[in-house]
Amino acid sequence: MSRLGKKPVHMPEKVKAEFNNGVLGITGPGGKLLQVIDNKINIKIDKDSILVEALGESREHNMLHGLTRGLVVNMIEGVTSGFKKELEAIGLGYKVSIEGGKKLVLSVGFSHLVNLNIPSTVKVTAALTPDKNTLITITGIDKYEVGAFAAKIRAVKPPEPYKGFGIRYLGEKIIRKAGKAAAGSGKK
């Protein structure tokens, strides 16, 4: 059995859970999340905790046991406090705007604008920072959706190693390379 999977998950008093036909639903102040649970796992719900049980002893049961408990923890955290990812667009003339609340428009050095449809499960804001970079904030109750959309934005223009231009997570360290002039400065 999974050591983490054996631990019961504490539910705050504002959170309610229900498990019917292999689907776990968790409702809280932030909204409602649903998760399909594998038939090798059983969920027991008490007043203030959720217990995840594996219905076998195989390696696959152990893996699903820990995974399911982790998903339940993320669902509870999502409906109570939510998740947030922040990205920075760093570069000369890089602009980010939101059109109609449904489209993220990126101008990041290409000959064309990049349009990304914003999923209905997340909220996106774009603002200028004092050092003239654009800060993109993605919030939502589903950890997977927030992280996947942040990764999709970053994949449009990943940071390059010479000047550091591109879209990066806030606080991400980019390993910089020396350019040609710095590398070949030794005279013969």
Side-chain angles (χ1 to χ4, degrees), residues 26-63:
I26 296 190
T27 309
K32 182 174 184 172
L33 289 173
L34 298 173
Q35 178 69 45
V36 176
I37 305 296
D38 195 284
N39 59 4
K40 296 178 176 100
I41 301 294
N42 186 33
I43 305 281
K44 286 187 178 177
I45 300 170
D46 292 332
K47 282 190 280 184
D48 62 344
S49 67
I50 298 174
L51 185 63
V52 179
E53 294 178 332
L55 299 176
E57 293 293 325
S58 72
R59 183 166 186 222
E60 188 176 5
H61 284 87
N62 286 343
M63 291 187 295

mmCIF file of all heavy atoms in Angstrom, residues 26-63:
data_model
loop_
_atom_site.group_PDB
_atom_site.id
_atom_site.type_symbol
_atom_site.label_atom_id
_atom_site.label_comp_id
_atom_site.label_asym_id
_atom_site.label_seq_id
_atom_site.Cartn_x
_atom_site.Cartn_y
_atom_site.Cartn_z
ATOM 1 N N ILE A 26 -16.284 17.499 -5.466
ATOM 2 C CA ILE A 26 -15.938 18.305 -4.295
ATOM 3 C C ILE A 26 -16.417 19.725 -4.550
ATOM 4 O O ILE A 26 -16.103 20.326 -5.581
ATOM 5 C CB ILE A 26 -14.434 18.262 -4.001
ATOM 6 C CG1 ILE A 26 -14.050 16.828 -3.636
ATOM 7 C CG2 ILE A 26 -14.064 19.238 -2.912
ATOM 8 C CD1 ILE A 26 -12.684 16.635 -3.096
ATOM 9 N N THR A 27 -17.210 20.248 -3.602
ATOM 10 C CA THR A 27 -17.771 21.585 -3.712
ATOM 11 C C THR A 27 -17.255 22.444 -2.567
ATOM 12 O O THR A 27 -17.206 21.985 -1.425
ATOM 13 C CB THR A 27 -19.307 21.528 -3.649
ATOM 14 O OG1 THR A 27 -19.762 20.556 -4.587
ATOM 15 C CG2 THR A 27 -19.919 22.864 -3.984
ATOM 16 N N GLY A 28 -16.892 23.676 -2.866
ATOM 17 C CA GLY A 28 -16.395 24.589 -1.843
ATOM 18 C C GLY A 28 -16.692 26.019 -2.235
ATOM 19 O O GLY A 28 -17.421 26.280 -3.201
ATOM 20 N N PRO A 29 -16.118 26.978 -1.496
ATOM 21 C CA PRO A 29 -16.372 28.387 -1.782
ATOM 22 C C PRO A 29 -15.928 28.817 -3.186
ATOM 23 O O PRO A 29 -16.513 29.721 -3.771
ATOM 24 C CB PRO A 29 -15.559 29.141 -0.725
ATOM 25 C CG PRO A 29 -15.136 28.141 0.273
ATOM 26 C CD PRO A 29 -15.269 26.791 -0.324
ATOM 27 N N GLY A 30 -14.907 28.157 -3.750
ATOM 28 C CA GLY A 30 -14.402 28.532 -5.063
ATOM 29 C C GLY A 30 -15.189 27.953 -6.221
ATOM 30 O O GLY A 30 -15.115 28.438 -7.338
ATOM 31 N N GLY A 31 -15.940 26.883 -5.985
ATOM 32 C CA GLY A 31 -16.693 26.244 -7.063
ATOM 33 C C GLY A 31 -16.778 24.746 -6.856
ATOM 34 O O GLY A 31 -16.618 24.242 -5.743
ATOM 35 N N LYS A 32 -17.018 24.010 -7.949
ATOM 36 C CA LYS A 32 -17.171 22.560 -7.872
ATOM 37 C C LYS A 32 -16.228 21.891 -8.860
ATOM 38 O O LYS A 32 -16.102 22.329 -10.003
ATOM 39 C CB LYS A 32 -18.610 22.153 -8.182
ATOM 40 C CG LYS A 32 -18.856 20.672 -8.071
ATOM 41 C CD LYS A 32 -20.299 20.315 -8.240
ATOM 42 C CE LYS A 32 -20.474 18.808 -8.025
ATOM 43 N NZ LYS A 32 -21.854 18.412 -7.986
ATOM 44 N N LEU A 33 -15.559 20.823 -8.408
ATOM 45 C CA LEU A 33 -14.676 20.037 -9.254
ATOM 46 C C LEU A 33 -15.128 18.592 -9.270
ATOM 47 O O LEU A 33 -15.572 18.056 -8.238
ATOM 48 C CB LEU A 33 -13.233 20.107 -8.746
ATOM 49 C CG LEU A 33 -12.499 21.422 -8.932
ATOM 50 C CD1 LEU A 33 -11.155 21.387 -8.223
ATOM 51 C CD2 LEU A 33 -12.280 21.702 -10.399
ATOM 52 N N LEU A 34 -15.002 17.930 -10.412
ATOM 53 C CA LEU A 34 -15.341 16.523 -10.562
ATOM 54 C C LEU A 34 -14.104 15.761 -11.014
ATOM 55 O O LEU A 34 -13.317 16.269 -11.808
ATOM 56 C CB LEU A 34 -16.452 16.334 -11.594
ATOM 57 C CG LEU A 34 -17.790 16.987 -11.283
ATOM 58 C CD1 LEU A 34 -18.728 16.871 -12.474
ATOM 59 C CD2 LEU A 34 -18.425 16.361 -10.055
ATOM 60 N N GLN A 35 -13.945 14.532 -10.511
ATOM 61 C CA GLN A 35 -12.812 13.698 -10.900
ATOM 62 C C GLN A 35 -13.278 12.258 -11.020
ATOM 63 O O GLN A 35 -13.882 11.720 -10.091
ATOM 64 C CB GLN A 35 -11.686 13.792 -9.846
ATOM 65 C CG GLN A 35 -10.494 12.926 -10.125
ATOM 66 C CD GLN A 35 -9.703 13.395 -11.330
ATOM 67 O OE1 GLN A 35 -9.441 14.584 -11.478
ATOM 68 N NE2 GLN A 35 -9.339 12.482 -12.193
ATOM 69 N N VAL A 36 -12.998 11.625 -12.162
ATOM 70 C CA VAL A 36 -13.321 10.215 -12.350
ATOM 71 C C VAL A 36 -12.264 9.390 -11.608
ATOM 72 O O VAL A 36 -11.071 9.611 -11.791
ATOM 73 C CB VAL A 36 -13.336 9.850 -13.846
ATOM 74 C CG1 VAL A 36 -13.583 8.372 -14.039
ATOM 75 C CG2 VAL A 36 -14.388 10.666 -14.582
ATOM 76 N N ILE A 37 -12.724 8.467 -10.771
ATOM 77 C CA ILE A 37 -11.835 7.635 -9.960
ATOM 78 C C ILE A 37 -11.792 6.229 -10.559
ATOM 79 O O ILE A 37 -12.833 5.664 -10.902
ATOM 80 C CB ILE A 37 -12.321 7.575 -8.490
ATOM 81 C CG1 ILE A 37 -12.463 8.989 -7.908
ATOM 82 C CG2 ILE A 37 -11.394 6.728 -7.637
ATOM 83 C CD1 ILE A 37 -11.198 9.775 -7.786
ATOM 84 N N ASP A 38 -10.593 5.674 -10.683
ATOM 85 C CA ASP A 38 -10.413 4.334 -11.237
ATOM 86 C C ASP A 38 -11.148 3.303 -10.380
ATOM 87 O O ASP A 38 -11.249 3.456 -9.160
ATOM 88 C CB ASP A 38 -8.916 4.010 -11.285
ATOM 89 C CG ASP A 38 -8.615 2.827 -12.164
ATOM 90 O OD1 ASP A 38 -8.865 1.694 -11.719
ATOM 91 O OD2 ASP A 38 -8.139 3.028 -13.291
ATOM 92 N N ASN A 39 -11.620 2.222 -11.009
ATOM 93 C CA ASN A 39 -12.388 1.214 -10.256
ATOM 94 C C ASN A 39 -11.515 0.366 -9.340
ATOM 95 O O ASN A 39 -12.023 -0.452 -8.589
ATOM 96 C CB ASN A 39 -13.191 0.323 -11.217
ATOM 97 C CG ASN A 39 -12.315 -0.401 -12.214
ATOM 98 O OD1 ASN A 39 -11.097 -0.309 -12.163
ATOM 99 N ND2 ASN A 39 -12.938 -1.092 -13.133
ATOM 100 N N LYS A 40 -10.197 0.549 -9.354
ATOM 101 C CA LYS A 40 -9.305 -0.151 -8.432
ATOM 102 C C LYS A 40 -9.183 0.586 -7.095
ATOM 103 O O LYS A 40 -8.498 0.134 -6.194
ATOM 104 C CB LYS A 40 -7.927 -0.304 -9.062
ATOM 105 C CG LYS A 40 -7.928 -1.177 -10.297
ATOM 106 C CD LYS A 40 -6.540 -1.233 -10.895
ATOM 107 C CE LYS A 40 -6.536 -2.174 -12.063
ATOM 108 N NZ LYS A 40 -6.606 -1.540 -13.345
ATOM 109 N N ILE A 41 -9.838 1.740 -7.005
ATOM 110 C CA ILE A 41 -9.758 2.598 -5.814
ATOM 111 C C ILE A 41 -11.156 2.838 -5.279
ATOM 112 O O ILE A 41 -12.108 2.999 -6.036
ATOM 113 C CB ILE A 41 -9.099 3.953 -6.184
ATOM 114 C CG1 ILE A 41 -7.698 3.753 -6.753
ATOM 115 C CG2 ILE A 41 -9.075 4.907 -5.007
ATOM 116 C CD1 ILE A 41 -6.702 3.196 -5.783
ATOM 117 N N ASN A 42 -11.275 2.874 -3.951
ATOM 118 C CA ASN A 42 -12.543 3.198 -3.299
ATOM 119 C C ASN A 42 -12.348 4.452 -2.445
ATOM 120 O O ASN A 42 -11.281 4.668 -1.881
ATOM 121 C CB ASN A 42 -13.017 2.032 -2.425
ATOM 122 C CG ASN A 42 -14.401 2.283 -1.856
ATOM 123 O OD1 ASN A 42 -15.229 2.919 -2.486
ATOM 124 N ND2 ASN A 42 -14.636 1.779 -0.660
ATOM 125 N N ILE A 43 -13.393 5.262 -2.351
ATOM 126 C CA ILE A 43 -13.351 6.501 -1.565
ATOM 127 C C ILE A 43 -14.372 6.392 -0.443
ATOM 128 O O ILE A 43 -15.529 6.057 -0.690
ATOM 129 C CB ILE A 43 -13.699 7.730 -2.451
ATOM 130 C CG1 ILE A 43 -12.796 7.818 -3.669
ATOM 131 C CG2 ILE A 43 -13.690 9.008 -1.648
ATOM 132 C CD1 ILE A 43 -11.442 8.372 -3.436
ATOM 133 N N LYS A 44 -13.923 6.676 0.795
ATOM 134 C CA LYS A 44 -14.842 6.739 1.938
ATOM 135 C C LYS A 44 -14.853 8.173 2.446
ATOM 136 O O LYS A 44 -13.804 8.764 2.695
ATOM 137 C CB LYS A 44 -14.394 5.796 3.055
ATOM 138 C CG LYS A 44 -14.641 4.348 2.747
ATOM 139 C CD LYS A 44 -14.328 3.491 3.950
ATOM 140 C CE LYS A 44 -14.629 2.033 3.643
ATOM 141 N NZ LYS A 44 -14.273 1.171 4.757
ATOM 142 N N ILE A 45 -16.065 8.714 2.612
ATOM 143 C CA ILE A 45 -16.205 10.102 3.035
ATOM 144 C C ILE A 45 -16.807 10.142 4.435
ATOM 145 O O ILE A 45 -17.870 9.581 4.678
ATOM 146 C CB ILE A 45 -17.095 10.885 2.047
ATOM 147 C CG1 ILE A 45 -16.459 10.855 0.662
ATOM 148 C CG2 ILE A 45 -17.301 12.318 2.512
ATOM 149 C CD1 ILE A 45 -17.327 11.384 -0.436
ATOM 150 N N ASP A 46 -16.101 10.797 5.367
ATOM 151 C CA ASP A 46 -16.615 11.049 6.719
ATOM 152 C C ASP A 46 -17.016 12.512 6.802
ATOM 153 O O ASP A 46 -16.980 13.239 5.817
ATOM 154 C CB ASP A 46 -15.538 10.736 7.769
ATOM 155 C CG ASP A 46 -15.225 9.246 7.842
ATOM 156 O OD1 ASP A 46 -16.120 8.437 7.525
ATOM 157 O OD2 ASP A 46 -14.085 8.912 8.210
ATOM 158 N N LYS A 47 -17.367 12.964 8.010
ATOM 159 C CA LYS A 47 -17.775 14.359 8.173
ATOM 160 C C LYS A 47 -16.660 15.336 7.814
ATOM 161 O O LYS A 47 -16.885 16.319 7.132
ATOM 162 C CB LYS A 47 -18.211 14.620 9.622
ATOM 163 C CG LYS A 47 -19.596 14.119 9.941
ATOM 164 C CD LYS A 47 -20.034 14.611 11.284
ATOM 165 C CE LYS A 47 -19.412 13.736 12.371
ATOM 166 N NZ LYS A 47 -19.853 14.074 13.706
ATOM 167 N N ASP A 48 -15.449 15.075 8.293
ATOM 168 C CA ASP A 48 -14.365 16.037 8.084
ATOM 169 C C ASP A 48 -13.135 15.434 7.412
ATOM 170 O O ASP A 48 -12.064 16.017 7.450
ATOM 171 C CB ASP A 48 -13.972 16.678 9.410
ATOM 172 C CG ASP A 48 -13.455 15.653 10.409
ATOM 173 O OD1 ASP A 48 -13.680 14.454 10.198
ATOM 174 O OD2 ASP A 48 -12.815 16.059 11.388
ATOM 175 N N SER A 49 -13.263 14.258 6.784
ATOM 176 C CA SER A 49 -12.109 13.672 6.105
ATOM 177 C C SER A 49 -12.545 12.747 4.970
ATOM 178 O O SER A 49 -13.680 12.282 4.929
ATOM 179 C CB SER A 49 -11.235 12.904 7.097
ATOM 180 O OG SER A 49 -11.927 11.768 7.570
ATOM 181 N N ILE A 50 -11.611 12.517 4.067
ATOM 182 C CA ILE A 50 -11.808 11.596 2.952
ATOM 183 C C ILE A 50 -10.704 10.556 3.040
ATOM 184 O O ILE A 50 -9.521 10.904 3.167
ATOM 185 C CB ILE A 50 -11.734 12.326 1.595
ATOM 186 C CG1 ILE A 50 -12.848 13.363 1.485
ATOM 187 C CG2 ILE A 50 -11.812 11.346 0.442
ATOM 188 C CD1 ILE A 50 -12.763 14.220 0.238
ATOM 189 N N LEU A 51 -11.066 9.279 2.960
ATOM 190 C CA LEU A 51 -10.089 8.194 3.008
ATOM 191 C C LEU A 51 -10.078 7.491 1.659
ATOM 192 O O LEU A 51 -11.124 7.078 1.153
ATOM 193 C CB LEU A 51 -10.439 7.207 4.128
ATOM 194 C CG LEU A 51 -9.441 6.090 4.354
ATOM 195 C CD1 LEU A 51 -8.096 6.665 4.795
ATOM 196 C CD2 LEU A 51 -9.945 5.111 5.394
ATOM 197 N N VAL A 52 -8.892 7.360 1.085
ATOM 198 C CA VAL A 52 -8.718 6.688 -0.200
ATOM 199 C C VAL A 52 -8.201 5.286 0.087
ATOM 200 O O VAL A 52 -7.211 5.118 0.795
ATOM 201 C CB VAL A 52 -7.713 7.469 -1.084
ATOM 202 C CG1 VAL A 52 -7.508 6.778 -2.408
ATOM 203 C CG2 VAL A 52 -8.181 8.901 -1.288
ATOM 204 N N GLU A 53 -8.876 4.257 -0.480
ATOM 205 C CA GLU A 53 -8.489 2.863 -0.246
ATOM 206 C C GLU A 53 -8.193 2.172 -1.567
ATOM 207 O O GLU A 53 -8.976 2.280 -2.514
ATOM 208 C CB GLU A 53 -9.624 2.100 0.446
ATOM 209 C CG GLU A 53 -9.941 2.559 1.840
ATOM 210 C CD GLU A 53 -11.101 1.775 2.434
ATOM 211 O OE1 GLU A 53 -11.958 1.291 1.664
ATOM 212 O OE2 GLU A 53 -11.144 1.655 3.650
ATOM 213 N N ALA A 54 -7.088 1.417 -1.596
ATOM 214 C CA ALA A 54 -6.787 0.584 -2.755
ATOM 215 C C ALA A 54 -7.505 -0.746 -2.574
ATOM 216 O O ALA A 54 -7.545 -1.297 -1.476
ATOM 217 C CB ALA A 54 -5.281 0.362 -2.868
ATOM 218 N N LEU A 55 -8.098 -1.263 -3.648
ATOM 219 C CA LEU A 55 -8.853 -2.512 -3.570
ATOM 220 C C LEU A 55 -8.006 -3.722 -3.944
ATOM 221 O O LEU A 55 -8.548 -4.770 -4.288
ATOM 222 C CB LEU A 55 -10.094 -2.431 -4.474
ATOM 223 C CG LEU A 55 -11.083 -1.326 -4.111
ATOM 224 C CD1 LEU A 55 -12.219 -1.267 -5.116
ATOM 225 C CD2 LEU A 55 -11.628 -1.529 -2.704
ATOM 226 N N GLY A 56 -6.697 -3.597 -3.896
ATOM 227 C CA GLY A 56 -5.784 -4.695 -4.191
ATOM 228 C C GLY A 56 -4.396 -4.364 -3.704
ATOM 229 O O GLY A 56 -4.159 -3.324 -3.100
ATOM 230 N N GLU A 57 -3.446 -5.291 -3.965
ATOM 231 C CA GLU A 57 -2.077 -5.107 -3.470
ATOM 232 C C GLU A 57 -1.042 -5.022 -4.586
ATOM 233 O O GLU A 57 0.145 -5.050 -4.319
ATOM 234 C CB GLU A 57 -1.709 -6.285 -2.545
ATOM 235 C CG GLU A 57 -2.491 -6.324 -1.254
ATOM 236 C CD GLU A 57 -2.164 -5.167 -0.334
ATOM 237 O OE1 GLU A 57 -0.998 -4.729 -0.299
ATOM 238 O OE2 GLU A 57 -3.090 -4.680 0.336
ATOM 239 N N SER A 58 -1.457 -4.945 -5.844
ATOM 240 C CA SER A 58 -0.488 -4.921 -6.940
ATOM 241 C C SER A 58 0.221 -3.562 -7.015
ATOM 242 O O SER A 58 -0.160 -2.604 -6.343
ATOM 243 C CB SER A 58 -1.185 -5.209 -8.269
ATOM 244 O OG SER A 58 -1.975 -4.106 -8.658
ATOM 245 N N ARG A 59 1.246 -3.506 -7.861
ATOM 246 C CA ARG A 59 1.994 -2.263 -8.017
ATOM 247 C C ARG A 59 1.100 -1.165 -8.594
ATOM 248 O O ARG A 59 1.186 -0.001 -8.212
ATOM 249 C CB ARG A 59 3.178 -2.523 -8.943
ATOM 250 C CG ARG A 59 4.045 -1.313 -9.102
ATOM 251 C CD ARG A 59 5.366 -1.665 -9.725
ATOM 252 N NE ARG A 59 6.161 -0.446 -9.700
ATOM 253 C CZ ARG A 59 6.906 -0.033 -10.690
ATOM 254 N NH1 ARG A 59 6.998 -0.752 -11.770
ATOM 255 N NH2 ARG A 59 7.589 1.088 -10.599
ATOM 256 N N GLU A 60 0.236 -1.529 -9.537
ATOM 257 C CA GLU A 60 -0.674 -0.550 -10.139
ATOM 258 C C GLU A 60 -1.645 0.004 -9.100
ATOM 259 O O GLU A 60 -1.942 1.204 -9.095
ATOM 260 C CB GLU A 60 -1.451 -1.188 -11.290
ATOM 261 C CG GLU A 60 -2.257 -0.185 -12.058
ATOM 262 C CD GLU A 60 -2.962 -0.789 -13.257
ATOM 263 O OE1 GLU A 60 -2.905 -2.007 -13.454
ATOM 264 O OE2 GLU A 60 -3.592 -0.015 -13.987
ATOM 265 N N HIS A 61 -2.130 -0.854 -8.196
ATOM 266 C CA HIS A 61 -3.005 -0.377 -7.115
ATOM 267 C C HIS A 61 -2.276 0.650 -6.249
ATOM 268 O O HIS A 61 -2.853 1.671 -5.865
ATOM 269 C CB HIS A 61 -3.473 -1.552 -6.248
ATOM 270 C CG HIS A 61 -4.545 -2.374 -6.878
ATOM 271 N ND1 HIS A 61 -4.269 -3.417 -7.720
ATOM 272 C CD2 HIS A 61 -5.891 -2.305 -6.788
ATOM 273 C CE1 HIS A 61 -5.397 -3.971 -8.120
ATOM 274 N NE2 HIS A 61 -6.402 -3.307 -7.576
ATOM 275 N N ASN A 62 -0.997 0.369 -5.928
ATOM 276 C CA ASN A 62 -0.224 1.296 -5.097
ATOM 277 C C ASN A 62 -0.044 2.646 -5.790
ATOM 278 O O ASN A 62 -0.180 3.701 -5.165
ATOM 279 C CB ASN A 62 1.155 0.716 -4.778
ATOM 280 C CG ASN A 62 1.087 -0.383 -3.752
ATOM 281 O OD1 ASN A 62 0.096 -0.529 -3.035
ATOM 282 N ND2 ASN A 62 2.134 -1.181 -3.692
ATOM 283 N N MET A 63 0.261 2.606 -7.080
ATOM 284 C CA MET A 63 0.466 3.862 -7.808
ATOM 285 C C MET A 63 -0.826 4.677 -7.879
ATOM 286 O O MET A 63 -0.830 5.884 -7.635
ATOM 287 C CB MET A 63 0.984 3.581 -9.216
ATOM 288 C CG MET A 63 2.395 3.043 -9.228
ATOM 289 S SD MET A 63 3.116 2.885 -10.879
ATOM 290 C CE MET A 63 2.079 1.655 -11.613
#
